[in-house]
């Protein structure tokens, strides 16, 4: 495989509003997307909260960067995976703010993630 | 300690399945974190194994390594100076994410470029540089 075909995965494991990880991660994803790199997003542990619909960050003085997730499809970022086990642990329904999210069991999530040549974690 | 670091690098090599010639790093921890000391040990080991370090990209709190004004107590590990040394000795490009840097008070155009508080060993770059490093390197390692 040539280096130009390297695929990138970003593993998101932080809650959306307690620190800047989610926002910093999304910025990286959009840049890789705009450079037409193959990129997939993975959400695990508290990271699954990032995709939950109807959040109101402005109530705690935060800018609503979560609505930027809706722009992912315009950057051709279409591989978005969520860990089913993490949702279950937190009692969260599969009610996401964007479409085309694939919920995977732990094994499939791990197997899919390790297909990538580069993994960044936030 | 160095043996342990070589072990970590070896794992990186085995995972790739072929020889890593070019390697790039993403650093997200500040100079006062011991995680940064570990990162520097890994970079140093990669160089000792004759890998070419094509660049280091500092993101999030990692950009604080590029400040001119870091002053750690004399008897503590001087992480910021180690980066400067690596740059001067091996000519490794040290990229600070410009947006992350500005959020943390680091800029090279204070008073319309009359002054800077970024150390001369570092350069302010866009996130696009991270994409470039990922393409250039056989392996991109985030620390």
């Amino acid at each position: 495989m040539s280096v130009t075909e390297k695929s990138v995965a970003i593993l998101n494991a932080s809650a959306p509003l307690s620190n800047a990880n989610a926002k910093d991660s999304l910025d990286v994803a959009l840049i890789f997307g705009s450079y037409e790199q193959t990129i997939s997003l993975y959400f695990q542990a508290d990271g699954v909260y990032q995709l939950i619909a109807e959040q109101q960050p402005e109530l705690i003085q935060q800018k609503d960067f979560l609505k930027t997730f809706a722009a992912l499809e315009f950057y051709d970022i279409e591989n978005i995976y969520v860990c089913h086990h993490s949702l279950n642990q937190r009692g969260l329904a599969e009610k996401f703010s964007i479409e085309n999210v694939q919920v995977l069991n732990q094994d499939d999530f791990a197997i899919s993630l390790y297909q990538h040549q580069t993994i960044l974690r936030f | 300690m160095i043996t342990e670091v070589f072990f970590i690098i070896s794992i990186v090599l085995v995972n790739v399945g072929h020889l890593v010639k070019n390697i790039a790093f993403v650093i997200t921890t500040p100079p006062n974190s011991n995680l940064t000391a570990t990162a520097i040990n890994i970079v140093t080991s990669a160089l000792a194994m004759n890998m070419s370090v094509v660049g280091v990209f500092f993101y999030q709190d990692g950009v604080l390594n590029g400040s001119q004004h870091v002053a750690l107590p004399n008897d503590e590990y001087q992480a910021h100076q180690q980066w400067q040394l690596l740059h001067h000795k091996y000519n490794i490009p040290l990229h600070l994410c410009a947006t992350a840097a500005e959020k943390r008070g680091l800029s090279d155009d204070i008073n319309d470029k009359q002054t800077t508080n970024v150390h001369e060993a570092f350069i302010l770059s866009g996130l696009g540089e991270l994409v470039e490093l990922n393409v250039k390197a056989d392996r991109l390692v985030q620390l």
Side-chain angles (χ1 to χ4, degrees):
Chain A
M1 177 178 267
S2 78
V3 285
T4 48
E5 291 173 73
K6 275 170 90 174
S7 63
V8 180
I10 300 186
L11 177 58
N12 297 286
S14 311
L17 303 168
S18 54
N19 58 36
N21 280 354
K23 170 75 165 62
D24 291 342
S25 168
L26 189 55
D27 286 346
V28 170
L30 295 178
I31 288 285
F32 273 87
S34 64
Y35 277 71
E36 296 177 356
Q37 305 286 304
T38 312
I39 182 157
S40 313
L41 304 185
Y42 291 81
F43 295 85
Q44 186 189 45
D46 280 349
V48 298
Y49 285 112
Q50 293 182 28
L51 292 178
I52 297 302
E54 293 173 25
Q55 302 193 54
Q56 296 174 279
E58 59 277 9
L59 294 180
I60 50 166
Q61 293 76 47
Q62 296 252 30
K63 184 180 159 186
D64 186 7
F65 73 92
L66 297 171
K67 63 187 177 194
T68 312
F69 280 114
L72 289 175
E73 60 175 308
F74 300 110
Y75 289 82
D76 293 323
I77 302 172
E78 286 157 351
N79 298 323
I80 302 168
Y81 306 99
V82 173
C83 173
H84 182 254
H85 181 67
S86 301
L87 286 172
N88 255 1
Q89 277 183 321
R90 290 161 182 78
L92 295 171
E94 295 177 18
K95 196 181 165 198
F96 305 118
S97 60
I98 51 170
E99 290 172 15
N100 300 324
V101 175
Q102 298 177 58
V103 178
L104 301 178
N105 70 41
Q106 267 179 311
D107 289 349
D108 292 342
F109 188 91
I111 292 165
S112 170
L113 179 62
Y114 284 100
Q115 306 291 320
H116 298 79
Q117 281 74 50
T118 298
I119 300 175
L120 296 170
R121 187 181 188 276
F122 293 96
Chain B
M1 194 280 302
I2 292 296
T3 324
E4 287 168 18
V5 174
F6 267 86
F7 180 67
I8 295 167
I9 289 284
S10 307
I11 291 172
V12 170
L13 286 170
V14 169
N15 280 345
V16 175
H18 64 89
L19 192 66
V20 174
K21 293 191 191 103
N22 301 310
I23 192 163
F25 293 93
V26 180
I27 304 297
T28 58
T29 52
N32 54 310
S33 163
N34 190 52
L35 298 173
T36 306
T38 305
I40 291 165
N41 287 339
I42 291 174
V43 174
T44 309
S45 299
L47 291 164
M49 293 175 80
N50 289 322
M51 289 184 201
S52 168
V53 178
V54 294
V56 180
F57 190 86
F58 295 85
Y59 195 44
Q60 299 190 300
D61 282 349
V63 297
L64 294 167
N65 287 283
S67 170
Q68 279 183 357
H69 303 299
V70 178
L72 297 169
N74 285 336
D75 57 350
E76 290 183 17
Y77 183 71
Q78 306 290 314
H80 57 300
Q81 288 179 7
Q82 292 302 315
W83 290 119
Q84 295 161 19
L85 204 68
L86 283 170
H87 171 74
H88 290 127
K89 202 169 166 189
Y90 300 98
N91 214 16
I92 299 170
L94 306 174
H95 299 280
L96 301 184
C97 171
T99 312
E102 284 185 3
K103 275 189 194 178
R104 292 164 178 81
L106 289 174
S107 170
D108 65 354
D109 63 353
I110 303 163
N111 302 329
D112 293 330
K113 305 210 176 196
Q114 295 298 302
T115 41
T116 177
N117 55 8
V118 175
H119 190 274
E120 45 97 10
F122 296 79
I123 183 167
L124 289 171
S125 302
L127 269 175
E129 192 62 46
L130 178 59
V131 181
E132 299 279 340
L133 286 178
N134 184 54
V135 172
K136 271 188 219 165
D138 300 318
R139 191 74 162 168
L140 178 72
V141 179
Q142 180 187 13
L143 297 161

